Amino acid sequence: MRYIVTIGDREFDVDVNDAANGPVVTLNGRALTTSIVRDRDDHRFLLLLDAKAYDAEVFATNGEKCVLLHGRGFDCRIEDQRLVAIRKAAGVKIGAARKELHAPMPGLVVKILHRAGEVIKKGQPLLVVEAMKMENELKSPTDGVIAEVHAVAGRPVEKGALLVTFES
Amino acid sequence: MFKKILIANRGEIAIRIVRGCRLLGIKNVVVFSEADHAALHVRMADEAYLIGPAPATQSYLVMERLIEVARKSGADAIHPGYGFLAENAQFAQVVQDAGLTFIGPPPQAIRLLGDKLEARKLAESHGVPTVPGGPVNAADLPAARKLALKCGYPVLVKAVAGGGGKGMRIVTGDDELEKALIASGNEARSAFGDDRVFIEKCIVRPRHIEIQVACDAHGNAVYLGERECSIQRRHQKLIEEAPSVFVDDDLRRRMGETAVAAVRAAGYANVGTVEFLVDKDKNFYFLEVNTRLQVEHPVTELVTGIDLVDEQIRLAAGEPLSIRQADVKIRGHAIECRICAEDHANDFIPSTGKIISYRQPSGPGVRVDSGVRQDSEVTPYYDSLISKLITYGATRHDAIRRMAQALAEYRIAGVVTNIGFHETVMQMPAFHRGELSTSYIADNFPNGISNEERDLELVQAAAVAAALHEYYQSQRLKTIAAGTKPFSAWVQKAREDSLRRLEGGRW
């Protein structure tokens, strides 16, 4: 089975195929020497990829997978080849950068720094959200023109709330 | 000695104090907000009382509720921990007036040292060096200009009531001064309800080095060596160590004696910390006194062998200091990394959520002071510190090696943590050489902190793990659906388990 795994703005093509001694894994077209030990409920994997050892834990949350590896969490979006084919047929680019800014944490919108119509560079601060006793500048995920600012200064936002959309 | 102590705090420090109480055979009572009803500090306590809704202003900061719980539970002393009401002189007074013991210095000492200008005046009058500068009236620009010129640019404009970097501005030249005065004043007014500001000389690339002191009510005082806390972000400490590579025996003695003189002048009793900035020529300048237990107290505990919470409680009960200056010996080296729920690759933005997996490191010389466990919630109401990882070694090098190993073992999933940032620092030559300053992060990560390239192999492995998880899940569903294999009770049970999980929504 072939999967497209998106982590951040990176895309990986992972092919998993059955073989007598367990699955064979191909990463971006390159076959890996693998050894896979998994626990009873397929939640923890000991992976040897080209002899390098990784002790990974995988959690499924909100339709995405979170892989915990060497103390770091990686949020992975995963699509199998069927979905990829459908998307391609529909003409949607896989893994295209989402032109939206969402709240990374719940908090209080303190200040809005830019308005609709303004030209923004990637990394430019767009608004300030106060959470956990700190004021946090949220930065633009993309170059572009602001289509709409959904946040309102002085109002609280939930985690994941849509704050800013960009013109496509 | 006390019979029962109320701990007016939460998280890792509440648990640290629960342990301190147990060592002395004292019962403990904790308080919790609605957001913390299942928190680890509640699980570990002898007694626990709900004191209000999630926001600290309606729970952990409500003095009357705390006194009420102390009365109800029969506590005879209150330990404030750090943060919240720990440096609130009025609270210390209220506790005293209620006939209870406040585990900390007397209210007058907190009041005196809590006001930055008063503390500065006191320090100066006792021969403690301070950074050149003084208070200014934001409206009187010519006077402010004169003072800034006298100090020499760059200068800092700071809020008198400030803390955590709020209301603070660096001014590099005359033309920026007016704007900075207005901005600082406004920020200070909205954050602290007090718009007084002062100007002080900006020491370029200073080290932040602080002295731990302890005083009893019988006139004895000691200094317990220094901690270097130079690695900071947003003016908040991230990595601390003891001793400092920069401090020799002579400097340690001079800073220690100065620190003791400063707190004695304020009529101090209990443990406390005197913070200094140290410039490249080993000149040290008084910064402020923290009239409480510090977050980073464990590094001092490890290198001196003194349990500071134990000492704190016994001092508050009126006992004399357990140690004399001549007996204080610094042995080995200790480092602390603050493990915070925040995204260092994205400007240290805090992260919230449920900790879905949690495993702590262990091994020789490893200590974890944690406020969380698996299934704990990291909420947006309190600060982002979730635990402290502390390692000890005979040498600094050993402590660093152990820290690198312990960080690699630490597994936290569900919230973003800064473990990866600490791992990066532990590998940096500049850190190994001890080239530290409060601008360490700005100097060493000029383009921000990124995980990307360094971790390509790790990201690839994560992608493979995610794909395998998906693959095995689909295999499992297929097997269940087909139902062609011979019946096995064990397999049946396993399938039922997995189905139950599916229904539970966890998978």
Side-chain angles (χ1 to χ4, degrees):
Chain A
M1 182 65 98
R2 201 169 144 206
Y3 301 100
I4 302 295
V5 184
T6 313
I7 302 177
D9 45 17
R10 288 200 170 130
E11 221 178 84
F12 300 94
D13 182 339
V14 188
D15 201 10
V16 185
N17 280 305
D18 264 327
N21 305 324
V24 173
V25 178
T26 309
L27 175 67
N28 293 340
R30 193 172 67 85
L32 301 177
T33 320
T34 40
S35 156
I36 301 157
V37 180
R38 56 195 166 111
D39 70 358
R40 205 180 64 87
D41 56 2
D42 291 343
H43 145 79
R44 224 176 130 182
F45 294 89
L46 173 62
L47 299 178
L48 293 179
L49 304 178
D50 290 341
K52 289 212 169 102
Y54 300 96
D55 184 8
E57 283 181 81
V58 187
F59 304 90
T61 47
N62 308 327
E64 289 198 345
K65 287 185 200 296
C66 174
V67 178
L68 182 64
L69 204 56
H70 294 195
R72 295 253 302 278
F74 297 91
D75 289 322
C76 311
R77 202 151 48 90
I78 188 157
E79 292 165 301
D80 65 27
Q81 93 203 110
R82 214 160 26 87
L83 273 172
V84 175
I86 294 168
R87 289 261 209 119
K88 277 200 175 134
V92 181
K93 193 182 170 290
I94 310 296
R98 275 170 274 183
K99 295 205 158 191
E100 286 169 357
L101 175 69
H102 293 264
M105 72 277 175
L108 181 75
V109 177
V110 181
K111 210 186 279 176
I112 308 242
L113 303 171
H114 296 283
R115 310 270 153 210
E118 287 189 51
V119 181
I120 299 295
K121 286 251 171 278
K122 184 175 174 175
Q124 198 172 339
L126 296 181
L127 46 128
V128 181
V129 174
E130 191 180 294
M132 296 168 120
K133 305 200 296 182
M134 303 235 263
E135 287 194 356
N136 307 282
E137 278 187 347
L138 302 188
K139 294 181 172 162
S140 174
T142 175
D143 287 337
V145 178
I146 296 180
E148 197 179 346
V149 178
H150 303 267
V152 179
R155 291 247 184 97
V157 285
E158 290 300 316
K159 186 175 185 171
L162 181 64
L163 301 175
V164 178
T165 43
F166 294 87
E167 285 172 13
S168 48
Chain B
M1 184 47 74
F2 308 116
K3 299 218 156 26
K4 197 184 259 189
I5 293 175
L6 172 85
I7 301 162
N9 217 298
R10 63 179 300 282
E12 67 87 18
I13 196 60
I15 293 164
R16 171 73 188 87
I17 300 162
V18 165
R19 291 194 172 115
C21 291
R22 295 236 162 95
L23 281 186
L24 286 161
I26 301 170
K27 290 273 172 222
N28 61 78
V29 184
V30 301
V31 291
F32 61 98
S33 72
E34 280 164 9
D36 277 341
H37 66 278
L40 191 57
H41 78 277
V42 178
R43 292 170 195 269
M44 292 194 60
D46 290 334
E47 286 175 50
Y49 292 85
L50 175 67
I51 49 165
T57 48
Q58 296 170 51
S59 50
Y60 297 104
L61 290 171
V62 183
M63 300 184 194
E64 306 79 61
R65 295 288 288 135
L66 294 164
I67 301 292
E68 196 186 309
V69 171
R71 285 235 172 83
K72 207 184 325 177
S73 63
D76 45 6
I78 296 185
H79 194 309
Y82 56 67
F84 295 132
L85 295 167
E87 291 181 278
N88 187 311
Q90 193 201 336
F91 181 59
Q93 190 65 55
V94 166
V95 172
Q96 232 174 48
D97 294 348
L100 307 165
T101 305
F102 179 78
I103 301 178
Q108 312 83 274
I110 301 176
R111 195 169 295 124
L112 186 58
L113 296 169
D115 186 308
K116 285 193 174 150
L117 286 177
E118 287 299 319
R120 206 184 139 93
K121 261 192 250 163
L122 181 81
E124 278 167 356
S125 66
H126 286 79
V128 180
T130 57
V131 181
V136 288
N137 182 345
D140 186 357
L141 189 60
R145 277 217 163 106
K146 217 171 121 193
L147 180 61
L149 276 175
K150 203 175 124 204
C151 298
Y153 287 103
V155 298
L156 280 176
V157 176
K158 280 168 134 178
V160 171
K166 274 197 174 162
M168 186 142 91
R169 290 278 184 293
I170 295 174
V171 181
T172 54
D174 205 43
D175 49 328
E176 298 168 17
L177 188 63
E178 185 176 9
K179 209 176 131 200
L181 284 172
I182 294 167
S184 280
N186 285 345
E187 216 169 298
R189 192 183 312 114
S190 69
F192 314 109
D194 177 351
D195 61 0
R196 287 178 301 155
V197 294
F198 66 105
I199 287 180
E200 89 186 6
K201 184 175 174 56
C202 178
I203 311 287
V204 180
R205 295 202 164 67
R207 288 170 181 260
H208 176 116
I209 298 176
E210 58 191 31
I211 301 285
Q212 176 71 53
V213 295
C215 315
D216 63 22
H218 313 283
N220 306 303
V222 291
Y223 56 90
L224 302 173
E226 79 284 1
R227 293 184 286 261
E228 168 144 15
C229 318
S230 294
I231 300 191
Q232 309 183 349
R233 51 99 178 79
R234 303 174 168 207
H235 305 285
Q236 292 182 330
K237 299 161 187 170
L238 270 182
I239 300 173
E240 300 102 339
E241 59 184 292
S244 161
V245 286
F246 197 61
V247 175
D248 52 42
D249 287 344
D250 175 57
L251 183 59
R252 179 170 303 122
R253 187 185 47 76
R254 284 191 292 127
M255 289 178 74
E257 286 172 358
T258 306
V260 165
V263 293
R264 270 203 160 147
Y268 205 87
N270 213 280
V271 309
T273 297
V274 184
E275 297 189 328
F276 294 98
L277 288 180
V278 182
D279 71 14
K280 60 181 190 337
D281 303 316
K282 298 200 175 175
N283 297 308
F284 59 90
Y285 305 94
F286 172 84
L287 205 58
E288 63 181 45
V289 179
N290 290 140
T291 58
R292 53 168 165 87
L293 189 66
Q294 300 265 92
V295 176
E296 60 273 24
H297 74 277
V299 293
T300 298
E301 295 188 323
L302 292 176
V303 298
T304 61
I306 295 169
D307 181 328
L308 286 168
V309 174
D310 193 75
E311 195 72 28
Q312 224 185 353
I313 296 172
R314 287 190 292 103
L315 289 173
E319 289 187 18
L321 274 174
S322 68
I323 191 165
R324 288 167 307 167
Q325 193 61 56
D327 302 325
V328 176
K329 294 272 179 298
I330 310 294
R331 282 207 179 86
H333 201 99
I335 299 180
E336 172 180 282
C337 288
R338 296 193 187 190
I339 308 300
C340 300
E342 63 183 27
D343 187 358
H344 51 276
N346 193 6
D347 245 0
F348 298 99
I349 280 184
S351 164
T352 57
K354 193 193 193 88
I355 294 178
I356 50 183
S357 176
Y358 183 82
R359 259 179 305 145
Q360 286 188 176
S362 65
V366 177
R367 165 173 167 180
V368 186
D369 281 18
S370 172
V372 298
R373 52 166 222 156
Q374 186 162 323
D375 294 334
S376 288
E377 289 280 349
V378 179
T379 65
Y381 303 106
Y382 316 108
D383 72 43
S384 62
L385 182 73
I386 53 181
S387 79
K388 302 179 314 205
L389 176 57
I390 310 111
T391 58
Y392 177 80
T395 64
R396 185 169 187 265
H397 181 62
D398 289 345
I400 293 174
R401 286 193 303 162
R402 285 176 168 169
M403 181 58 80
Q405 169 59 24
L407 288 164
E409 271 180 39
Y410 212 153
R411 303 290 152 89
I412 301 174
V415 294
V416 181
T417 72
N418 60 356
I419 290 172
F421 168 76
H422 288 303
E423 284 189 287
T424 305
V425 174
M426 292 305 134
Q427 290 165 5
M428 293 173 79
F431 183 76
H432 281 253
R433 287 194 299 265
E435 289 164 4
L436 310 179
S437 82
T438 55
S439 49
Y440 184 91
I441 291 178
D443 291 347
N444 288 282
F445 301 93
N447 304 316
I449 303 159
S450 155
N451 301 318
E452 299 280 317
E453 289 317 313
R454 192 173 67 85
D455 296 332
L456 181 60
E457 275 189 356
L458 209 56
V459 185
Q460 281 180 347
V464 171
L468 285 170
H469 184 259
E470 187 71 19
Y471 173 78
Y472 285 121
Q473 250 192 315
S474 64
Q475 293 293 101
R476 177 195 290 247
L477 290 173
K478 231 190 279 171
T479 317
I480 293 167
T484 49
K485 291 189 181 160
F487 178 80
S488 151
W490 293 108
V491 170
Q492 183 65 28
K493 179 75 179 68
R495 282 172 192 163
E496 277 167 14
D497 280 352
S498 68
L499 280 174
R500 201 152 44 230
R501 258 182 219 104
L502 282 170
E503 284 158 9
R506 216 186 124 198
W507 290 85

